[in-house]
Amino acid sequence: MALSALFALGNIAVHGSTVLDYDGDGRSDLALVRFDQGTPNFVWYILQSRDGYSAAIWGLQANDGPRFDGDYDGDGRTDITVVRFIPGDPYQYWYILNSSNNTMTALQWGLSSNDIPVSQDYDDDGKTDIAMYRLGWWLILRSSDNQPYFEQFGTSNDKPLTGGDYDGDGKADLAVVRYTPPNPPGSAIPMTLYLRLSANGWWASYNLGDARFTGVLTGDYDGDGKADVAIWQENLWLWIRSSDGNLEGVRFGQIPGDTPIPGDFDGDGKTDPAVFRRGTMVSPLSYFYLLQSRDGFKAVQWGNNHDATEGDLGGTRYIPAIGF
């Protein structure tokens, strides 16, 4: 099958600020959290591209979900964040370590059942907005005016996808991935990406292929300020360049075992394919492998087999294939 046949293109062009940038230099950093049985807390280990190694204790392993996707105080640096679920409590609680002044922001937003964190900058004020996806509804707390905003887009069975400004207006757009039941059972599971564009309210759809073998990614791979529709098939990265509508791809990663962690690791404004390869009991050291669009290939040993990245922890910038 030709690569272009994997996508059914809609009428759309995908802005993306630098993700996982903990030192504010415009390059993505290597970030991990450690599941260590010797402590009840998460320990964050971050290898920053400018400011070097840092570590922080933040969050409880028993109750918290680490978040890797937000600059909540607008200082240009990603803030260490967890979302807490307390047994018997119907609500979710956000605990943010603000990088601008090392203070904590704590607030309740969302329900412990059904809600999926989908924080992004929806109002274009340079700060990530706390947000939840609930059964087809987007529940956003706008940082620009501290007011709630609700919008219905998607269904209860859809998976929300974050990290994309597909129309380049500076605001994150609403995106969901929808699966079609296989017919007959056991055959291909068609998967469709639906987008709602903030610039004009229009929506678009893309057929992405068979969900048994295809994951969905976000990122601006051509550096035009718009997110590109992108997928990942074991070690094949494919994206539609929003700059010209052409399909581009590269093979990068190991089958099986690698977790994709796209980011702009060389600071040229383009998302780079990258993977995290966790260590094993035999060889406990973990590695990041980066295919940088400007600076080329780079391998970095960082972490061990007790560590996890954003993609390992159910982040919504990457939706894995059903078969993985």
Side-chain angles (χ1 to χ4, degrees), residues 110-126:
L111 301 177
S112 58
S113 60
N114 298 321
D115 288 4
I116 301 171
V118 286
S119 46
Q120 302 181 98
D121 183 5
Y122 295 94
D123 54 9
D124 192 25
D125 67 344

Side-chain angles (χ1 to χ4, degrees), residues 52-230:
Y53 158 77
S54 68
I57 298 173
W58 196 257
L60 300 173
Q61 294 186 35
N63 301 106
D64 295 348
R67 306 295 304 170
F68 294 79
D69 50 10
D71 173 15
Y72 297 91
D73 54 11
D75 68 345
R77 292 180 284 177
T78 301
D79 301 311
I80 292 174
T81 304
V82 296
V83 180
R84 180 163 298 170
F85 306 79
I86 300 174
D89 191 320
Y91 302 109
Q92 294 192 38
Y93 299 87
W94 296 66
Y95 294 92
I96 301 166
L97 181 59
N98 299 299
S99 54
S100 58
N101 54 18
N102 207 37
T103 61
M104 179 180 73
T105 296
L107 57 84
Q108 181 271 313
W109 189 257
L111 301 177
S112 58
S113 60
N114 298 321
D115 288 4
I116 301 171
V118 286
S119 46
Q120 302 181 98
D121 183 5
Y122 295 94
D123 54 9
D124 192 25
D125 67 344
K127 298 179 181 180
T128 299
D129 304 310
I130 290 173
M132 290 289 189
Y133 180 81
R134 182 186 300 166
L135 303 176
W137 283 88
W138 298 71
L139 315 176
I140 301 166
L141 182 62
R142 296 185 304 217
S143 53
S144 56
D145 57 11
N146 203 37
Q147 295 298 309
Y149 172 76
F150 305 147
E151 183 170 347
Q152 195 278 321
F153 185 72
T155 71
S156 60
N157 294 321
D158 293 344
K159 290 188 175 182
L161 182 70
T162 63
D165 173 13
Y166 293 84
D167 53 16
D169 68 345
K171 300 178 182 179
D173 300 310
L174 309 187
V176 296
V177 175
R178 184 172 302 168
Y179 306 118
T180 302
N183 187 17
S187 62
I189 303 175
M191 179 171 56
T192 306
L193 172 65
Y194 291 94
L195 304 175
R196 172 127 176 126
L197 306 180
S198 55
N200 51 25
W202 295 353
W203 67 275
S205 64
Y206 292 79
N207 296 324
L208 301 184
D210 188 346
R212 297 176 301 171
F213 312 109
T214 304
V216 189
L217 302 167
T218 55
D220 178 9
Y221 294 87
D222 57 3
D224 68 344
K226 300 178 182 179
D228 304 310
V229 174

